Each structure stands twice: as C-alpha cells, then as structure tokens.
Amino acid sequence: MAIDAKSKALKAAGEDVCGFAAGEPDFDTPDFIKEAAMAALRAGKTKYAPTPGIDELRAAIADRYMAEYGFKIAPTQTVVSPGGKFSCYLGILAVVNPGDEVIIPAPYWVSYPDMVKLAGGTPIFVPTDDATSFKITPAQLEAAITPKSKMLILCSPSNPTGAVYTRAELAALAEVVVRRNLYVLSDEMYEHLVYDDGQAICFATLGSEVEQRTITVSGFSKTFAMTGWRLGTLVAPAPIAKAVGDLQSQTSSNATTFAQYGALAALREKEKAREAIATMKVAFDRRRKFLHAELNRIPGVSCLLAKGAFYLFPRIASFGLKDHVFCARLLETMKVAAVPGSAFGAEGYMRLSYATSDEIIKKGVERLAVFCSTLPR
Ligand code: PLP
C-alpha cells in the first residue's frame, strides 16, 4: 500500500507512472451491485445491522458455498466483516493465544505476520521458491510443527505469487493438519480468479475433520471489484464463528449495512454475477499471458506462469541488487511501481499486479526491460 501510495502521489504530480503495485481490480463495481446498495440507502438501510451480518446475506453465503463446493454450512457459521482483511484478523484472534506459533508459508500476504503478532502469537515462516512453484510440501509443514504450533495459514490462489494448490496437494497438507491437530486459516480471497487448468479448492471441504479445524475467509473485494466497500466473509465451525462475532461486536459492530445489500445482489443475481466475473477474467487472463511472455523475454528475469489471482512474481535476483533497491530505482528512474519480494518474505523477487490496463502493462514492461538492460548481471 505504501508503494502504491507513492506511485499515486507521483501520478498526481503529473508523472507518467506505470503502476503494478496495487492489489485491486482496475474495473469498477458492476452496476447491478451499486444499484442494490443505492436502493438499500433509499429504503433507509442506514442503521446498525446484526453484528455477524444481515440475515439474508448470511443465508446467501451459506447457499453459495453449497452451490459452488457442496459445502453444507448453517448461516450461523458465517460472519460478514468490514473487509476480508478484518475477517482474517478476527479469525486469527479467535484461535491464537499468546505464545502460540502460527505457520506461514513464504512468500506470504504482508498482513498475516503482524496479525499473528497482534494476537500475541509467533509467526513461523516456511520458505518456498519458484523451483517448487511457491508451494509448501507436507514434509516442510511437518518439520515446522512444534508443541506450540496452533495454526497454519494457507492462501490459494496466492497473493503475492498467484500460485494455486491442486486438490491433491491440499489433501496431503490436510492429512498433516488433522494428524498434528492444527487449525487452518484458509484465505480464499481469489477463489474466482483461476486460469488454465487451475481449480479453486475450498480447503474445509477436504473432509469432516478438516472442516472442524478450518476458518475460511473470502469476500467481495477481488471477485466483484469492491475493494472500497469493505466487505469480507468468514465461515467456521459454530464455536469459532461465535467467537469471531463476539470480537466483531466489541470492535467494528458490523459491516456497513447498506453495503451488505450490494453484496447480497452479487450473490443472488447469479447470471449477472457470472457475466461480470467472466468479463474481468478474460481481461486478467489476457494480461497474465502477455506480461508473463514479456517478462521472460528480458535477460536476467524469469517468471512462472501463475494460475491464479492477478499477480506475477518474477525472479530478479540475477541483477545483484536487493529487491527493495531494485524496486525503488525502478520507480525513481523509470516510473514503474512494483512491490519488492522481501515485503512478502521472499528476497530476490518482485510482485507485479496485472490488474491494470493493457496499455500500462505494455509500456511498463518495456520500461522494465530498458531498466534491466542498464544493470550489470
Ligand atoms: N487476503 C488476501 C490474500 C488479499 O490479497 C487481500 C487484499 O489484498 C485480503 C485478504 C483482504 O481483502 P479486503 O480486506 O480488501 O476484502
């Protein structure tokens, strides 16, 4: 967010910046969702809502898990919060006690370690790299477990790498999770942005014992281009959902009431929702392939073709610069904004978001090529 803010400030000052730093779709929220929220405002939905969310939305969330994954949950197992980020934080806070260890595969989404620390826990990182497609193995997970281990955080499709675990890979991790008695925070924020033969898997559906220990987070920000609405969803076994609701009651009270009616339309008006997601996905997929091909054309850069989210995570270690120096110089000299891998616990890479226009991607990657050609290797 800091790099994105700097890039936006440069843009505001009249600089021609190519921004690859933002973690949000460049699309606007679909009109039918906006209309529903406006109708709710006009109808006076301007008061406090029930803490865990309006009843209709909780029911619609339960319905969609059933329809999409055959995952049977009661509406009382769902909590709607002001953003998926807050859903993650409350899920961690509900389960992690001071002194507990939380296993976080790296590269990780930037907020997890601090959320764990705020809960009094200790983040334990398990490094991965592009040689293993940024995925942890059951053996790595097993090796990271100690008597203090309480939770594993999974994020598939991943921010920042775009990696998507297969069902078999997740099932193998789930076996360890159950046997070693861990909770899992499964952050499925990008579940609807999967390409090629990738498949979004809802981790909790990998067995009843898995379901008993999994907190599933998702939301509307990425799927429906609703980052500014601040709406996240959490699904958990009833006692955890109750604890999350209690935490929300003493912190945010509830997610914005009229915004929840917009989200309700997103889940109820399935045909329009499908169309909106499909339109975004076609654009993201085109940009993903283009950016991936162009990156790999640059001597010294190598990049996997990630199957999910809207990020690529190329390796830039061959230039001999720390990644934050590389990204700072790239922004200063070429006005290209990207986030260094070290921000996600992975030195030697950078994260490029392709949730931006085709023109900016084309221009930005050309500038990156020029920048790289000036560096010794
Ligand atoms: N989880 C992941 C992996 C994310 O990338 C994000 C947003 O960047 C979130 C959760 C939170 O999304 P929001 O709070 O905007 O709903």
Side-chain angles (χ1 to χ4, degrees):
M1 282 189 160
I3 288 171
D4 189 44
K6 189 165 174 191
S7 129
K8 281 180 179 151
L10 280 171
K11 216 182 269 175
E15 297 280 5
D16 175 22
V17 179
C18 295
F20 290 91
E24 64 182 347
D26 55 318
F27 295 92
D28 194 5
T29 305
D31 277 339
F32 76 98
I33 298 174
K34 290 189 192 173
E35 293 298 336
M38 287 191 270
L41 264 176
R42 277 188 221 102
K45 304 292 187 191
T46 55
K47 308 293 186 197
Y48 291 125
T51 293
I54 57 172
D55 290 344
E56 305 94 302
L57 182 55
R58 296 174 83 198
I61 292 165
D63 286 349
R64 86 131 180 121
Y65 274 102
M66 188 64 199
E68 291 178 30
Y69 300 105
F71 183 17
K72 191 173 184 327
I73 48 166
T76 48
Q77 287 175 255
T78 68
V79 181
V80 181
S81 294
K85 189 177 262 187
F86 202 56
S87 303
C88 289
Y89 180 48
L90 294 186
I92 290 168
L93 212 50
V95 166
V96 175
N97 291 321
D100 286 347
E101 292 179 354
V102 176
I103 298 169
I104 304 178
Y108 47 75
W109 182 46
V110 284
S111 298
Y112 302 139
D114 286 329
M115 289 175 176
V116 168
K117 289 184 205 160
L118 284 165
T122 307
I124 303 292
F125 302 113
V126 178
T128 67
D129 60 22
D130 50 3
T132 53
S133 303
F134 303 110
K135 298 178 192 179
I136 61 162
T137 61
Q140 279 182 297
L141 173 58
E142 191 97 47
I145 296 173
T146 75
K148 291 184 179 167
S149 303
K150 186 65 157 291
M151 178 184 255
L152 164 69
I153 299 183
L154 283 175
C155 181
S156 175
S158 158
N159 177 6
T161 67
V164 181
Y165 283 82
T166 64
R167 178 178 291 277
E169 287 163 343
L170 288 177
L173 294 174
E175 189 279 321
V176 180
V177 160
V178 170
R179 182 161 44 77
R180 302 299 301 267
N181 200 22
L182 298 177
Y183 285 96
V184 174
L185 179 80
S186 183
D187 183 344
E188 298 169 13
M189 189 55 72
Y190 295 89
E191 63 185 307
H192 293 109
L193 298 176
V194 180
Y195 317 98
D196 299 338
D197 60 346
Q199 195 194 351
I201 308 291
C202 179
F203 190 79
T205 62
L206 294 173
S208 59
E209 285 177 300
V210 182
E211 182 184 335
Q212 286 316 307
R213 48 190 67 252
T214 301
I215 300 169
T216 308
V217 168
S218 190
F220 300 89
S221 298
K222 318 287 172 173
T223 304
F224 295 105
M226 291 170 68
T227 46
W229 292 60
R230 312 310 303 130
L231 286 172
T233 66
L234 178 147
V235 172
I240 298 177
K242 164 82 170 60
V244 167
D246 289 348
L247 287 165
Q248 177 148 292
S249 175
Q250 303 298 13
T251 50
S252 72
S253 286
N254 59 264
T256 302
T257 306
F258 51 85
Q260 293 189 53
Y261 286 89
L264 182 60
L267 295 187
R268 277 193 179 160
E269 298 192 37
K270 293 193 171 48
E271 211 33 61
K272 288 182 189 164
R274 240 192 301 275
E275 248 171 60
I277 296 171
T279 304
M280 279 192 274
K281 255 182 79 170
V282 166
F284 287 151
D285 192 23
R286 182 181 64 239
R287 298 166 183 176
R288 176 182 72 108
K289 289 180 180 142
F290 174 77
L291 182 59
H292 169 259
E294 293 301 310
L295 286 170
N296 282 314
R297 250 194 267 279
I298 302 174
V301 175
S302 68
C303 185
L304 295 178
L305 182 60
K307 289 184 182 171
F310 40 62
Y311 307 105
L312 291 179
F313 204 68
R315 176 187 277 278
I316 50 165
S318 72
F319 297 105
L321 293 177
K322 288 280 185 198
D323 58 20
H324 71 95
V325 175
F326 183 100
C327 289
R329 285 200 201 157
L330 182 62
L331 183 55
E332 267 159 39
T333 61
M334 303 303 290
K335 306 289 179 277
V336 172
V339 188
S342 52
F344 311 98
E347 172 66 47
Y349 299 88
M350 65 178 172
R351 189 193 75 176
L352 299 175
S353 161
Y354 50 84
T356 185
S357 72
D358 297 58
E359 299 76 56
I360 287 178
I361 293 173
K362 187 164 180 293
K363 191 159 64 172
V365 82
E366 280 168 9
R367 290 184 192 179
L368 175 66
V370 171
F371 177 73
C372 290
S373 73
T374 67
L375 299 175
R377 279 197 294 134

